[in-house]
């Protein structure tokens, strides 16, 4: 099932859906109905693959987010366009239990006039940290079950901090594939080894 710029406000019969794609493009400054979004996802109890593509200045109006458990979910794909606010990404992460998936695909698409702060903001929203006290930061929701990661980054150079946040949140990765622009700034740091990043890695494709 694929829905583009459509969010059903009433419960529909989606019991047999196993792969769902939800896309929102071109809207500006609008709110999405979180109750309707959660109702839609709950109507797909057999969903194994969830794909969300956003390139719009939108977010959920509600602020009290309770994570929805999709028990059959194994794969999550997130495509982020330049118009998407980081706050919307944090709301998606707080609403759906994507942290329990085994496979993830991230597509972060910038533009020529898009600053690097967009990239860092998106990554920080995807893997939020909290103050752990005494100057230490702790992950709120690490992706401990994630084994396969695919990334497609356009226009952004990236930053050591952003990549460090991302990979630190995924301690059990087995297979990683990353597509980067020519001017990308991905440096495999010695500190990653000390922190156990990629300790279970089997394949790496750049």
């Amino acid at each position: 099932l694929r829905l583009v710029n459509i969010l059903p406000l009433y419960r529909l019969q989606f019991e047999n859906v196993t792969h769902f794609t939800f896309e929102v493009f071109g809207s500006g400054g609008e709110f999405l109905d979180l109750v309707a979004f959660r109702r839609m996802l709950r109507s797909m109890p057999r969903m194994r693959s969830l794909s969300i593509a956003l390139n719009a200045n939108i977010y959920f109006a509600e602020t009290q987010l309770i994570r929805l458990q999709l028990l059959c979910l194994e794969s999550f794909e997130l495509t982020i366009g330049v118009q998407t606010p980081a706050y919307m990404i944090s709301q998606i992460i707080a609403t759906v239990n994507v942290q329990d998936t085994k496979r993830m695909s991230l597509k972060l698409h910038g533009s020529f006039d898009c600053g690097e702060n967009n990239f860092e903001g998106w990554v920080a929203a995807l893997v939020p940290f909290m103050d752990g006290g005494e100057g230490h930061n702790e992950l709120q929701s690490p992706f401990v079950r994630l084994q396969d990661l695919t990334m497609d980054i356009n226009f952004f150079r990236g930053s050591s901090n952003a990549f460090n946040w991302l990979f630190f949140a995924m301690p059990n990765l087995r297979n990683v594939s990353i597509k980067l622009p020519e001017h990308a700034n991905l440096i495999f740091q010695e500190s990653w080894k000390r922190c156990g990043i990629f300790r279970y890695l089997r394949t790496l494709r750049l």
Side-chain angles (χ1 to χ4, degrees):
L1 174 66
R2 179 187 179 195
L3 298 180
V4 180
N5 288 344
I6 295 176
L7 177 59
L9 297 180
Y10 301 98
R11 183 178 178 85
L12 300 177
Q13 301 300 317
F14 294 139
E15 286 84 357
N16 294 322
V17 172
T18 57
H19 297 75
F20 175 53
T21 299
F22 181 69
E23 302 177 358
V24 180
F25 300 111
S27 300
E30 297 183 5
F31 300 109
L32 287 183
D33 188 326
L34 179 60
V35 174
F37 182 74
R38 289 171 56 87
R39 183 190 303 118
M40 177 181 64
L41 294 180
R42 279 199 302 266
S43 70
M44 308 176 196
R46 298 189 178 120
M47 187 197 311
R48 300 178 60 187
S49 174
L50 173 62
S51 175
I52 297 178
L54 303 171
N55 190 15
N57 183 21
I58 59 169
Y59 50 91
F60 294 119
E62 294 82 353
T63 57
Q64 294 185 352
L65 304 176
I66 300 175
R67 184 162 292 147
L68 178 64
Q69 298 295 318
L70 301 174
L71 299 180
C72 295
L73 190 64
E74 297 179 352
S75 176
F76 177 60
E77 178 179 297
L78 180 63
T79 301
I80 306 170
V82 65
Q83 298 183 48
T84 308
Y87 183 58
M88 180 59 179
I89 301 171
S90 65
Q91 287 185 310
I92 292 290
I93 296 302
T95 302
V96 186
N97 66 319
V98 296
Q99 291 82 1
D100 295 334
T101 58
K102 296 179 180 179
R103 296 182 297 275
M104 177 180 291
S105 174
L106 298 176
K107 300 178 181 179
L108 310 180
H109 296 168
S111 65
F112 288 109
D113 57 351
C114 184
E116 291 294 323
N117 58 323
N118 284 64
F119 180 80
E120 289 200 359
W122 291 345
V123 172
L126 182 67
V127 288
F129 285 77
M130 61 182 177
D131 186 0
E134 299 183 357
H136 299 289
N137 291 329
E138 297 179 357
L139 272 169
Q140 289 184 356
S141 303
F143 294 78
V144 294
R145 297 185 180 180
L146 189 65
Q147 297 183 11
D148 301 328
L149 174 66
T150 301
M151 294 186 66
D152 183 354
I153 301 173
N154 288 339
F155 291 100
F156 294 114
R157 293 185 70 246
S159 70
S160 296
N161 284 335
F163 286 119
N164 183 67
W165 301 336
L166 190 66
F167 296 138
F168 184 75
M170 304 171 179
N172 297 312
L173 286 174
R174 264 64 167 178
N175 306 293
V176 176
S177 176
I178 306 176
K179 182 179 180 181
L180 299 165
E182 292 183 1
H183 62 294
N185 182 32
L186 173 57
I187 301 175
F188 289 80
Q189 305 176 47
E190 185 64 26
S191 60
W192 290 4
K193 184 184 297 184
R194 294 194 299 269
C195 293
I197 293 177
F198 292 155
R199 64 182 180 274
Y200 297 117
L201 191 66
R202 295 178 180 174
T203 61
L204 173 64
R205 296 181 180 180
L206 294 176

